[in-house]
Amino acid sequence: MRCETIKKWLSDDLDGALSPKRKARLDAHNRECRTCRGYRADLTCLQAGAPPVEDRSPECWAAFERRIESKLAFAEPVREASRARLFPGRRWAWAAAGFLVMVAVGIYFAVNRPGGTLGTAWVPYEDSLARLLQEAEVDPEVENLVNRELLASIAAVAPDPEEDYAFPFAADPLFWEGLSEEELEYIAVELERETGNGGPK
Amino acid sequence: MDERPEDDLVEDARRGSREAFVALVRLHERRVYGLVFRMAGNHSDADDLAQEIFLTAWRSIASFRRGSSFYTWLYRIAVNTSLTFLRKRSREKDRAEFHENMAGIDTRRDASFSPEGSSSRSELRARMDEAIASLPGHFRASFVLVVNQGLSHAEAAGILGCSENTVSWRMHKARKILQARLKPYLGEVRS
């Protein structure tokens, strides 16, 4: 048994808070341990020496009571009336009522939601681009028209990311020198097809 | 002196009767004063604290729940008020010591004291007053409630708002601190 534990038990024993089982073990330890016996003697001395608060004279107490009474004359107890008026012992009922009101308001807005963002996301088939795209598949003129419109609308929203770096490639002579004859010919044909002008020959 | 049972006095005080509350003050003033004197360490502060405690109790008497113990409730107010006071005083003391140190004043206390020739029990009591006053606030509150006021660990735990084990541990630590500080005097008293 460690002496530190025994010292804690000694303290409990002085306060009458030690179980009989532990008390027996404590006594057994103390019979053999001189240090713990000395500690117990010190604690007993401390307990006996704990000074009582000297009682004051009756005049002192009378004066104390007079001061309290005079202060009480100007102090009012805080009433719980305001709280009682709001929640007169039926807090759960108030909480349930509040919850029901919130649910009712939620249902009202869910049912009577004005045609908003969600409604405009769905376009009837007649108004969609599907028919136009079908026509573009068979008519190259319509296809060009649609492509131009689409590219123009995309360019209006976001600038062409290729625009920034297309120029340095074309301006770099090493880029063109590194290409084979077939690759140069292919680029020239594509450029001619798209713009009507040939590329570098 | 009002001879009504305490429960009746509490009930009347809750309804706003000052006379009933003054009767409660008379019932508890000595024990409350004993507690705050041990916490504050002097009569002047103890007197002010005791008045503040009874005024707080009067103002909040409506929040006292019937069925619980009035003295436990009152002691809880007393302990909390005392601990708040100790914290405030500690801050002020630190500030004062700082200013004194800045001014070059030596604030060391009675370092020359020696136990020689003062082996009497009264000397031990005087030194014990000082030693108790130097305990940390929560340790002091536990020690005063259990040793000076004679409460059980369970009752002290109810007042301090902690577990019985915590009170038991604080008592053990407080005794170890006191024993270490008063060892020379304890040896003399025992011999």
Side-chain angles (χ1 to χ4, degrees), chain B residues 15-33:
Chain B
R15 288 199 203 99
S17 164
R18 283 192 176 81
E19 292 73 25
F21 190 78
V22 170
L24 286 169
V25 170
R26 289 198 184 101
L27 274 179
H28 292 281
E29 63 190 0
R30 281 171 171 76
R31 293 189 78 185
V32 168
Y33 188 85

Side-chain angles (χ1 to χ4, degrees), chain A residues 84-95:
Chain A
R85 213 175 290 134
L86 271 175
F87 304 108
R90 292 177 184 151
R91 293 179 187 180
W92 287 111
W94 281 103

Side-chain angles (χ1 to χ4, degrees), chain B residues 81-133:
Chain B
T81 308
S82 303
L83 290 174
T84 306
F85 167 78
L86 289 179
R87 275 195 289 271
K88 194 177 159 194
R89 190 169 68 178
S90 170
R91 275 199 300 269
E92 284 170 1
K93 196 177 154 195
D94 287 349
R95 212 174 297 140
E97 280 182 2
F98 173 77
H99 288 304
E100 283 170 1
N101 287 340
M102 290 293 281
I105 300 166
D106 190 357
T107 57
R108 281 172 297 179
R109 270 198 220 162
D110 197 17
S112 61
F113 180 82
S114 153
E116 286 174 13
S118 56
S119 60
S120 67
R121 199 167 281 273
S122 61
E123 180 59 39
L124 171 67
R125 286 189 174 184
R127 293 293 144 188
M128 203 159 159
D129 268 341
E130 288 177 13
I132 292 171

Side-chain angles (χ1 to χ4, degrees), chain A residues 8 15 42 51 65 67 78, chain B residues 29 38 47 59 168 190:
Chain A
K8 164 84 168 48
D15 299 335
D42 280 351
E65 285 159 13
R67 283 199 299 278
V78 177
Chain B
E29 63 190 0
R38 281 276 158 255
D47 205 85
R59 288 201 189 99
S168 164
R190 277 166 57 193

Side-chain angles (χ1 to χ4, degrees), chain A residues 4-6 31-32 46 48 50 52 56 58 73 102 119 133 159 161 165-166 178 180 185 187 200:
Chain A
E4 192 56 32
T5 310
I6 289 296
R31 276 194 292 274
E32 292 169 7
L46 273 177
R56 301 194 297 174
M102 285 173 67
L133 293 174
Y165 55 85
S180 64
E185 195 172 336
I187 290 169

